[in-house]
Amino acid sequence: MAITAAQVKELREMTGAGMMDAKKALTETDGDMEAAVDWLRTKGLAKAAKKSGRTAAEGLVAVEVEGGVGVAVEVNAETDFVAKNAEFQGMVRDIAGAALKVDSVEALADAEVDGKKVSELVTDKIAKIGENMTLRRMAKIEGEIVATYVHNAAAPGLGQIGVLVAMTGGSEEFGKQVAMHIAAANPASLNEAELDPAVVEKERQVQIDIAKESGKPDAVIEKMIVGRMKKFLAEVTLLGQQFVVNPDVTVEQAAKEAGAEITGFIRLQVGEGIEKVEEDFAAEVAKAAQG
């Protein structure tokens, strides 16, 4: 039988499924709306679409290294419980493996794992596990040595914070120590040259305002600002920070002692920058009652 646009529209509104999926469901079920809903649910398409509006701020970061190339990938879910799910972990690990061959998260979504697109893999897992999930971001780095560290590991190479450090010279062991430092200290950049100028200027203005409040002469204020900015830059740049393994030296000094030059780093933390919508239970019940 012929499927009308009105039927497709109605089914889409009921299930949140895509247009082509809704049309296919109606075609497969001879226009029977209830059967079409069941068909979509069986395929996981209605369930996945309904979940897509919910905030996914938990999940995992995976790190992979192959032949001097390292990648970190973040895949989000709604609850930290899912991060412990072996199927979810396996999917994130597979996605990270695919990420080694691409250069952007968009390309990663189109990349294939065992003959299936990564985007489809995520949709299938949404339907099976029952939570919204998103392939959020990836970052890549290259180096003579690429060391890794995962903080709050859920499984090897998977955790809440994933760090990659690229170096010339040195050793894997030293690289891992630096990666652990980055996980803990969260530097804003490798060095002053790579720091966002807007961040530097904002801090300088804050320090000027603070110094002016002291009522000291301009010459003294200028010296105060120079000193405070030097301290600020040391605190927010990796090479300027005191090394957590040995606070008597900076990371830059430790690298020299280890015969290493740190050329770059990546640090991804699950849910970083995602605004979580918090609702108390009473408000949730009230909203449901109104609906």
Side-chain angles (χ1 to χ4, degrees), residues 9-75:
K9 183 173 182 285
E10 184 183 348
L11 183 58
R12 288 189 69 194
E13 286 172 354
M14 286 171 68
T15 63
M19 186 185 293
M20 297 309 293
D21 291 327
K23 190 173 181 182
K24 188 172 183 187
L26 287 163
T27 303
E28 291 287 332
T29 58
D30 294 323
D32 183 326
M33 197 62 70
E34 266 189 41
V37 171
D38 289 341
W39 188 92
L40 285 167
R41 288 187 65 195
T42 302
K43 300 291 181 187
L45 297 166
K47 196 173 187 181
K50 280 187 174 180
K51 300 288 182 188
S52 66
R54 306 214 302 230
T55 303
E58 302 294 341
L60 289 170
V61 170
V63 295
E64 285 278 349
V65 177
E66 189 179 278
V69 177
V71 70
V73 173
E74 179 183 0
V75 182

Side-chain angles (χ1 to χ4, degrees), residues 60-75 92-108 111 135 137-143 145-150 156-159 161-166 265-268:
L60 289 170
V61 170
V63 295
E64 285 278 349
V65 177
E66 189 179 278
V69 177
V71 70
V73 173
E74 179 183 0
V75 182
V92 177
R93 192 177 282 110
D94 287 344
I95 291 172
L100 285 164
K101 301 172 183 69
V102 298
D103 291 315
S104 70
V105 75
E106 293 78 16
L108 179 55
L135 170 60
R137 54 184 174 158
M138 66 166 276
K140 214 166 184 180
I141 200 165
E142 292 184 33
I145 292 175
V146 178
T148 69
Y149 171 68
V150 170
L158 300 167
I161 300 173
V163 179
L164 297 162
V165 179
F265 73 89
I266 289 165
R267 182 188 187 277
L268 292 191

Side-chain angles (χ1 to χ4, degrees), residues 116-135:
K116 185 172 280 193
K117 280 188 179 182
V118 165
S119 56
E120 293 170 359
L121 204 66
V122 174
T123 300
D124 288 351
K125 210 60 74 178
I126 291 170
K128 190 164 187 185
I129 294 177
E131 282 197 12
N132 187 27
M133 297 174 196
T134 54
L135 170 60

